[in-house]
Amino acid sequence: MKQFSTLKEIARKLGVSVSTVSRALSDSYEISESQKERIRAYVKEINYQPNPHAKSLRSNQSKTIGVLIPDISNYFFTLALQGIETIVHEKGYNLMIYQTHDDHLIEEKTFSYLENGVVDGVLSAVSSNKEGSIEHVKRLNSLIPIVFFDRHLKQMTVPFVSCNDYESGLHATKHLLERGCRNIVFIGIDESISVTADRLDGYRAALHQMSISVKESNILLCKSQEEAYEEILKRLKQRDKADAFFSSVERYTVQLYRACEELKLKIPADLKVISFSNNPLASFMNPPLSTITQPAFEIGKSAAGLLLEMLKKKKPAAPKDLVIPCTFHYTVSSLGNK
């Protein structure tokens, strides 16, 4: 059978308008399901293959989604990207991935570049929540849709998909308190980043509930792995000995294990540990690491689905925030040896 190469020919054959064919193939809510099924069946029968370049020119769309992440080597973001890909590619979009390395200047330059119309929408795990540092995000959001995932800007009402960071921080700290720990150190990155702030708030709340004062010396906020290693070493050497660590960053937990080995400290005998981590090797650490695992794949998939809904405008506005709970896996590092 002849392959019809244009929507016009398909529309003439089916006795409908070109716009009806186009809307049916883009799953528009304006077309009935029975009409969509009829049109889809026919284009499948003739093996119709749309021209993506021509389609993008007609619609004034790039058919590309921009994704901004801090670090692609982070297991969380690797899994989140996989979730994003499952939705985006299925709908005929391409991805452009940018790494900011938690550098606000890199992020700002990238957002400015995206103002040139190279993408139709953006998925972003932003680097900073500081006042006065979000104008680049506001400017781009006035031009195209943005959905935040994992991290967000609390000053902006932009759709956001995340895990329950505050509740997870509260629960992790309570777990250590229940194991008899009373001098718990929190380690994370910049508190202006929303995930750090929320997890730290949960940590503080758990201590307050037990009437334990929050010591500033027990809050280590570090910008790099080497800084984390040095700060952990310094804290472990203090006379006021820490009896547990709650790590908000999985790569810093590796530095904690390294510091303990250097100082001949034993986990969990001398120090109990729990960490946020999506690293599949956590259970093979010595000792196996107790983890708080984020639903990274689901977060990425949900964020991408929400952005595509916004681009198509086929449904009423979705809730601004979508929270998917973390899962806890307790093992030797926090439970202790039986």
Side-chain angles (χ1 to χ4, degrees), residues 26 85 95 123 230:
S26 63
E85 286 179 333
L95 287 180
L123 298 165
E230 295 299 330

Side-chain angles (χ1 to χ4, degrees), residues 142-159:
S142 70
L143 300 173
I144 59 175
I146 297 175
V147 172
F148 294 142
F149 69 100
D150 184 51
R151 307 168 174 195
H152 67 127
L153 298 174
K154 297 181 180 180
Q155 308 97 309
M156 293 181 64
T157 54
V158 171

Side-chain angles (χ1 to χ4, degrees), residues 169-170 173-174 176-177 181-186 200-215 218-219:
L170 178 73
T173 309
K174 281 186 172 182
L176 293 172
L177 290 167
C181 305
R182 291 297 180 269
N183 203 9
I184 303 168
V185 176
F186 175 94
L200 184 53
D201 284 346
Y203 161 86
R204 287 177 171 134
L207 294 181
H208 287 152
Q209 288 177 16
M210 290 289 291
S211 300
I212 298 173
S213 61
V214 178
K215 303 175 185 176
N218 278 349
I219 299 175

Side-chain angles (χ1 to χ4, degrees), residues 215-243:
K215 303 175 185 176
E216 288 306 311
S217 61
N218 278 349
I219 299 175
L220 308 182
L221 301 177
C222 308
K223 296 180 180 179
S224 68
Q225 293 197 59
E226 278 307 308
E227 181 184 354
Y229 175 67
E230 295 299 330
E231 290 299 317
I232 291 167
L233 270 181
K234 187 188 303 182
R235 181 64 189 87
L236 290 175
K237 291 177 180 178
Q238 290 178 11
R239 183 173 299 179
D240 179 20
K241 292 187 181 297
D243 56 15

Side-chain angles (χ1 to χ4, degrees), residues 23-42:
R23 289 170 181 166
L25 295 181
S26 63
D27 197 26
S28 171
Y29 71 96
E30 298 172 292
I31 307 299
S32 69
E33 287 302 319
S34 59
Q35 187 78 291
K36 288 179 190 177
E37 289 176 9
R38 175 172 172 253
I39 293 170
R40 287 169 183 162
Y42 183 70

Side-chain angles (χ1 to χ4, degrees), residues 80-100:
L81 282 172
Q82 291 176 11
I84 291 168
E85 286 179 333
T86 62
I87 297 295
V88 168
H89 290 164
E90 179 183 290
K91 298 299 182 181
Y93 282 81
N94 298 309
L95 287 180
M96 292 181 68
I97 301 168
Y98 304 88
Q99 292 188 86
T100 65

Side-chain angles (χ1 to χ4, degrees), residues 54-202:
K55 186 176 180 182
S56 66
L57 289 175
R58 288 195 303 271
S59 63
N60 196 30
Q61 291 182 325
S62 68
K63 297 301 289 183
T64 302
I65 300 298
V67 183
L68 276 75
I69 57 174
D71 182 5
I72 200 169
S73 67
N74 183 309
Y75 282 99
F76 170 84
F77 291 111
T78 299
L79 292 171
L81 282 172
Q82 291 176 11
I84 291 168
E85 286 179 333
T86 62
I87 297 295
V88 168
H89 290 164
E90 179 183 290
K91 298 299 182 181
Y93 282 81
N94 298 309
L95 287 180
M96 292 181 68
I97 301 168
Y98 304 88
Q99 292 188 86
T100 65
H101 303 286
D102 276 326
D103 186 318
H104 184 71
L105 293 178
I106 294 175
E107 179 184 273
E108 187 169 348
K109 288 178 181 178
T110 304
F111 269 84
S112 297
Y113 169 70
L114 295 178
E115 292 176 26
N116 295 323
V118 294
V119 298
D120 298 330
V122 168
L123 298 165
S124 178
V126 288
S127 65
S128 176
N129 194 41
K130 292 178 180 176
E131 290 290 346
S133 65
I134 66 171
E135 291 308 311
H136 58 292
V137 187
K138 289 182 176 179
R139 196 165 56 245
L140 183 62
N141 192 44
S142 70
L143 300 173
I144 59 175
I146 297 175
V147 172
F148 294 142
F149 69 100
D150 184 51
R151 307 168 174 195
H152 67 127
L153 298 174
K154 297 181 180 180
Q155 308 97 309
M156 293 181 64
T157 54
V158 171
F160 173 47
V161 183
S162 70
C163 69
N164 53 340
D165 287 299
Y166 171 84
E167 291 80 7
S168 296
L170 178 73
H171 192 84
T173 309
K174 281 186 172 182
H175 168 68
L176 293 172
L177 290 167
E178 289 166 359
R179 304 308 298 171
C181 305
R182 291 297 180 269
N183 203 9
I184 303 168
V185 176
F186 175 94
I187 184 164
I189 47 181
D190 192 336
E191 194 174 354
S192 70
I193 296 174
S194 62
V195 288
T196 302
D198 292 339
R199 294 169 187 178
L200 184 53
D201 284 346

